Amino acid sequence: MDFISVLSIFVLACFVGYYVVWSVTPALHTPLMAVTNAISSVIIVGALIASAEAGSATAKWLGLAAVVLASINIFGGFAVTERMLAMYKKKDSK
Amino acid sequence: NPWVALAYLVAGVFFILALRGLSSPATSRAGNRNGMIGMLIAVVTVIVTHDIANIVEILIAIAIGGLIGFTIARKIAMTQMPELVAGFHSLVGMAAVLVGLAAWMNPGAFGILDAEGQILTVSRIELGLGIAIGAITFSGSVIAFLKLSGRMGGKPIMLPGRHVINLGTLAAIIALIAAYAMSATAGPGEGWMIIAVAVLAFAIGFLLIIPIGGADMPVVVSMLNSYSGWAAAAMGFTLGNTAMIITGALVGSSGAILSYIMCRAMNRSFISVIAGGFGADDSAAGGG
């Protein structure tokens, strides 16, 4: 893909991110932060590509290390968000 | 392969729904589920569509990370949430640095070489930025984690002349990336530039966060979240990967807005928090 198409996607996604969180209720600040953190581990896509490419053993190991770090973040991030949200739900039902 | 781009687009839509869902209590759990689905789509897509010979190693790496992450998430006390999120950010930052270094060492595999076998100029800039932002995210998050968990005093540490030091370091990082982008070759001989960018960026992440008091830390954690998104987006540009670009941009801009909203709720100046205690007066210092 040429640079301008990629740049267009980037700029439009920035605007979506800008508008999507404005109405967040204060009680959900921390869970929203946790889920955003989990989503940022999309870096795992790059890590997977790096760890799968032949040509440099060092690069492969760096990629695999990045896969481990990103996986901690994915599983930990979503699980911890789920736990926080479960807590809010309990509070509401009381 | 058009299906890859389509799958990444669907993953991006799920991430948007996740962020939107987390805005209100009624939709928050569905939002979190959407986030998981989006991540699953992205990961499965890259594994299925890439020619991966070492799938076993990769699955082991995911299993190790998943087990550690899941265990931490289960055991952590609810009161430790902010520090946990800060700790997790540092992992994303480090992962971005590692991916950047891997791309720099093995540029041929990433398709970022020009006709003469040198790394493309635009890719050099993206690599430099991705590594720098990832490194800032890493060291900044480590400091935020240490402060929030009480392992490091919550009081702001004010170095004399810190704004001069910070601006100087930032200028040095930009100059190094520019020099790297413009140098005739981009092979191992220029490696010191990339390493120096990483080292200086680690240093500035540290310098930016130590002057910030414990009370402002949640805002900082959200800001670091935003940085991790920009790092992922920069790597996405290098790899020409739309999943990373869309998601990185989403996380980057929504994280910045969330920190702004949190600053406003706490009656804090947004600029002073992100600039590392810039203009921090007695009231800000007392917040620690």
Side-chain angles (χ1 to χ4, degrees):
Chain A
M1 236 185 300
D2 64 300
F3 185 73
I4 296 300
S5 342
V6 176
L7 190 67
S8 319
I9 293 171
F10 173 76
V11 172
L12 292 177
C14 284
F15 276 94
V16 175
Y18 177 87
Y19 285 109
V20 85
V21 296
W22 273 108
S23 61
V24 59
T25 41
L28 286 172
H29 282 174
T30 313
L32 179 60
M33 206 152 69
V35 89
T36 316
N37 165 59
I39 291 174
S40 69
S41 36
V42 72
I43 190 80
I44 195 172
V45 169
L48 287 168
I49 294 173
S51 58
E53 300 295 354
S56 162
T58 322
K60 187 190 87 171
W61 286 109
L62 289 178
L64 282 173
V67 171
V68 173
L69 296 180
S71 304
I72 296 177
N73 208 45
I74 294 176
F75 286 85
F78 284 122
V80 106
T81 312
E82 195 71 28
R83 259 188 77 190
M84 275 189 257
L85 295 177
M87 198 179 64
Y88 288 117
K89 198 184 170 196
K90 243 182 264 164
K91 254 189 216 156
D92 292 343
S93 58
K94 266 179 199 167
Chain B
N1 191 342
W3 294 106
V4 178
L6 195 63
Y8 287 156
L9 177 64
V10 174
V13 170
F14 273 106
F15 290 142
I16 295 169
L17 292 174
L19 293 178
R20 186 70 205 166
L22 262 286
S23 298
S24 113
T27 55
S28 59
R29 302 194 81 186
N32 196 34
R33 299 277 152 78
N34 283 335
M36 294 181 201
I37 296 170
M39 191 59 74
L40 189 69
I41 294 174
V43 169
V44 168
T45 304
V46 67
I47 290 181
V48 169
T49 57
H50 244 77
D51 196 13
I52 293 179
N54 55 342
I55 185 72
V56 178
E57 284 174 344
I58 285 174
L59 290 179
I60 291 173
I62 294 178
I64 293 173
L67 195 67
I68 298 173
F70 208 64
T71 313
I72 297 174
R74 288 282 300 272
K75 292 208 168 146
I76 198 102
M78 277 297 162
T79 48
Q80 293 174 301
M81 280 308 155
E83 67 191 67
L84 176 72
V85 176
F88 278 162
H89 284 330
S90 69
L91 303 179
V92 179
M94 187 45 102
V97 173
L98 295 179
V99 173
L101 290 177
W104 167 69
M105 284 179 177
N106 195 10
F110 291 84
I112 51 173
L113 292 178
D114 61 16
E116 279 122 52
Q118 300 296 334
I119 301 176
L120 293 164
T121 306
V122 65
S123 301
R124 295 186 207 181
I125 298 172
E126 292 155 5
L127 268 181
L129 285 177
I131 289 174
I133 303 170
I136 292 173
T137 310
F138 173 75
S139 58
S141 302
V142 168
I143 301 301
F145 170 78
L146 292 175
K147 284 200 173 196
L148 283 165
S149 64
R151 290 181 178 85
M152 187 173 162
K155 279 214 186 93
I157 299 168
M158 302 286 190
L159 294 178
R162 62 182 187 283
H163 296 312
V164 178
I165 300 175
N166 289 352
L167 284 176
T169 315
L170 196 64
I173 292 173
I174 294 170
L176 275 166
I177 295 175
Y180 180 63
M182 289 184 294
S183 74
T185 57
E190 282 70 35
W192 67 270
M193 292 184 184
I194 285 293
I195 303 295
V197 164
V199 170
L200 287 175
F202 281 129
I204 203 172
F206 174 81
L207 291 168
L208 280 175
I209 310 303
I210 53 166
I212 301 176
D216 286 337
M217 265 315 143
V219 176
V220 170
V221 174
S222 178
M223 205 58 216
L224 290 165
N225 197 350
S226 165
Y227 293 165
S228 68
W230 300 127
M235 288 290 106
F237 273 99
T238 307
L239 304 183
N241 185 293
T242 49
M244 291 167 78
I245 295 173
I246 296 175
T247 317
L250 268 181
V251 169
S253 60
S254 67
I257 295 308
L258 182 59
S259 6
Y260 176 76
I261 294 173
M262 288 165 83
C263 263
R264 214 175 41 177
M266 291 161 60
N267 241 334
R268 286 297 206 199
S269 154
F270 183 57
I271 298 297
S272 65
V273 174
I274 57 164
F278 181 78
D281 48 18
D282 293 338
S283 66

